[in-house]
Amino acid sequence: MEIGSAANQEKVGVMALGWRWIMGLPKKFQEKVVGVANKIKKLGKDDPRRITHSIKVGLALSLVSLFYYFRPLYDDFGDAAIWAVLTVVVVFEFSVGATLGKGINRGIATLCAGALGVGAHHLANLAGDDGEPILLGILVFILAAVSTYTRFFPGIKARYDYGMVIFILTFSLVTVSGYRIEKILVLAHQRLSTILIGGSTCVIVSIFVCPVWAGEDLHKLTALNMEKLADFLEGFGGEYFGQERDDGESFVKDDSKKMFHQAYKSVLNSKTAEESLANFARWEPCHGSFGFRHPWQQYLKIGGLTRQCAYQIEALNGCINSDIQAPTEFKKKIQEACTKMSMESGKALRDLAQGIRTMTVPSAAEIHIEISKAGEDDLKTTLKSAVLEDIDDLLDVIPVATVASLLVEIISCTEKISEAVNELARIVKFKTIDPTVTPEKPHLLHRGSVQPVCFTDSPEHHVCITVLSEIEQGTTTLAGLFLERINSVPITTRENQEPVKGARHDLEV
């Protein structure tokens, strides 16, 4: 009885579990649908151009499908009209450059292979019925082998690989099918015509319907990568020297800021994307600020230098998270110099990125690089004095020396990036913005500190300080600097030399 009761209870438990699973199916299905919908929404939200591209592909396929839907068009091309549809499927890419490159490769390869296939067919006819298939096989072998070997050349691989594949495919199809088809010229003409129609449809839709330019994407990507490096360098001082407080307690980092400073890691793997965009951009016509024969190769040079800097930053980030740290007292001595070096290098990279985005000469970047070099000299002096005087254990110097060495390398990389960007600006002829007023070189009629003003009989205690300037631009910034300095100066009287409450300063520029 006990065994039967236990079996019944087990069956009831299994049935209950099965019933709960069945009842939970609608909820699980709903969660799956909501999850897929959220992924679809996120995919379109990240880059709305993906939605536009999907619509463009559908539009191009609908247009070339008319060759099958309308009888007059079908009578002219016959079953070869399917090649137009296949061409749209394989040629239409996300960017204009990729679509144009594939379309030109496919068109030229089809034309050349078709012509050679017809020539091979007529040449094989001279060998008679018995020798024709043998000669055709030999020609297919030679052309396929030579074309495949040619694909290994880096220049061919980068720009014409797809064309070589289509060349081999078309030549083989025309040659082999021509052996059984009498009207080989008609066959070659139909296939070439439909492929050209499909490729032209792709190119026209890609250019004139919400175009996506690979050159513009490469331009923005180059600037964005430098901004990511600048974000890390500008926040390095707080991350590294803020690991310990004055009381010796550990410093708690903000996870959001930490993730923000880790954005540079994507720069390390940007080489493939940059090379692909540069390859596609070479096919694109003039558009926007990018003219004919735009120096896309220079962007690859800037990208390579940016990645070198990113590798140094990766090592610098390892120093932040290292278990071996220098003493707090010693870190305080080098904090100002290291912070200046990283901060000014970050500002230089940000100015260079802004110059690329706006296509203007980044003149301010050179000033930041010079300031970072001054910080480098200060750091070397501090390290020498610390090693000779205060540090007994040289092992304490190694972590700081590593950070200093990496910062010096980063400054060198930043200077090389600046030279490459200036070379790009010279080739493309970026706009030159030469402000009359800069914070570093203000042209004033008088310089110096403002002394306290003393008076005796002024009832309102009103002081008017007039600053004469020859500058039209930067007036707001200059006025703000003077207001900040002047408002910090107390106004006193001659009698008691006490600050006068309620007195105000007026700044007239």
Side-chain angles (χ1 to χ4, degrees), residues 196-500:
L196 292 178
I197 290 173
S200 301
T201 304
C202 293
V203 171
I204 292 172
V205 174
S206 180
I207 292 177
F208 293 100
V209 181
C210 301
V212 177
W213 303 102
E216 185 176 350
D217 288 347
L218 176 61
H219 185 82
K220 294 179 179 178
L221 178 62
T222 304
L224 180 62
N225 286 342
M226 286 193 287
E227 288 176 350
K228 291 178 180 179
L229 303 187
D231 291 335
F232 179 89
L233 291 174
E234 290 178 353
F236 169 74
E239 287 287 320
Y240 183 71
F241 297 100
Q243 286 185 342
E244 295 183 359
R245 299 177 181 175
D246 295 337
D247 54 4
E249 297 182 359
S250 61
F251 181 81
V252 180
K253 297 181 181 179
D254 189 357
D255 292 336
S256 62
K257 291 183 179 180
K258 185 176 181 180
M259 293 179 62
F260 182 69
H261 293 316
Q262 299 298 317
Y264 75 92
K265 291 183 178 293
S266 62
V267 182
L268 300 173
N269 302 318
S270 63
K271 181 179 180 180
T272 304
E274 290 176 357
E275 290 180 347
S276 298
L277 291 174
N279 181 34
F280 297 149
R282 294 191 185 102
W283 294 102
E284 293 177 346
C286 301
H287 59 279
S289 302
F290 308 102
F292 181 68
R293 298 184 64 85
H294 193 78
W296 301 115
Q297 197 68 25
Q298 187 66 20
Y299 286 88
L300 297 181
K301 180 180 179 181
I302 295 174
L305 294 173
T306 304
R307 279 189 296 277
Q308 290 182 14
C309 187
Y311 292 137
Q312 301 296 333
I313 288 178
E314 175 72 6
L316 195 63
N317 185 50
C319 295
I320 296 177
N321 302 318
S322 176
D323 296 333
I324 302 175
Q325 298 291 335
T328 305
E329 296 78 8
F330 187 60
K331 290 175 68 174
K332 287 181 179 179
K333 294 181 180 180
I334 64 167
Q335 179 174 357
E336 182 178 356
C338 290
T339 303
K340 180 190 293 185
M341 293 168 64
S342 62
M343 181 67 70
E344 295 300 327
S345 297
K347 289 180 179 179
L349 289 173
R350 193 173 299 280
D351 288 337
L352 293 172
Q354 184 64 19
I356 291 178
R357 283 187 182 275
T358 59
M359 301 192 79
T360 56
V361 178
S363 56
E366 297 180 0
I367 299 175
H368 292 300
I369 293 176
E370 293 300 325
I371 297 176
S372 64
K373 288 183 177 180
E376 178 183 341
D377 296 335
D378 295 340
L379 179 61
K380 291 179 180 178
T381 304
T382 303
L383 287 175
K384 288 180 181 179
S385 60
V387 171
L388 294 176
E389 298 176 5
D390 301 332
I391 301 299
D392 297 330
D393 190 357
L394 292 179
L395 294 177
D396 294 338
V397 187
I398 293 178
V400 176
T402 304
V403 172
S405 176
L406 291 173
L407 287 175
V408 171
E409 290 295 330
I410 289 173
I411 293 174
S412 177
C413 289
T414 304
E415 190 173 10
K416 293 179 182 179
I417 295 173
S418 177
E419 293 174 357
V421 173
N422 288 327
E423 183 179 356
L424 175 65
R426 179 183 56 81
I427 297 173
V428 183
K429 297 181 180 179
F430 282 2
K431 298 178 182 178
T432 302
I433 298 179
D434 188 12
T436 312
V437 174
T438 58
E440 292 79 15
K441 296 180 181 180
H443 299 281
L444 302 176
L445 296 181
H446 176 72
R447 294 185 184 180
S449 59
V450 180
Q451 300 297 330
V453 181
C454 299
F455 53 90
T456 55
D457 300 328
S458 177
E460 296 181 355
H461 305 299
H462 175 213
V463 179
C464 179
I465 300 177
T466 301
V467 179
L468 299 179
S469 175
E470 300 173 353
I471 319 150
E472 294 180 0
Q473 300 180 6
T475 303
T476 305
T477 305
L478 187 61
L481 290 173
F482 271 88
L483 280 175
E484 182 180 355
R485 294 293 182 87
I486 294 171
N487 287 332
S488 63
V489 179
I491 299 178
T492 59
T493 62
R494 290 181 179 177
E495 295 178 357
N496 52 17
Q497 299 294 322
E498 293 294 333
V500 179

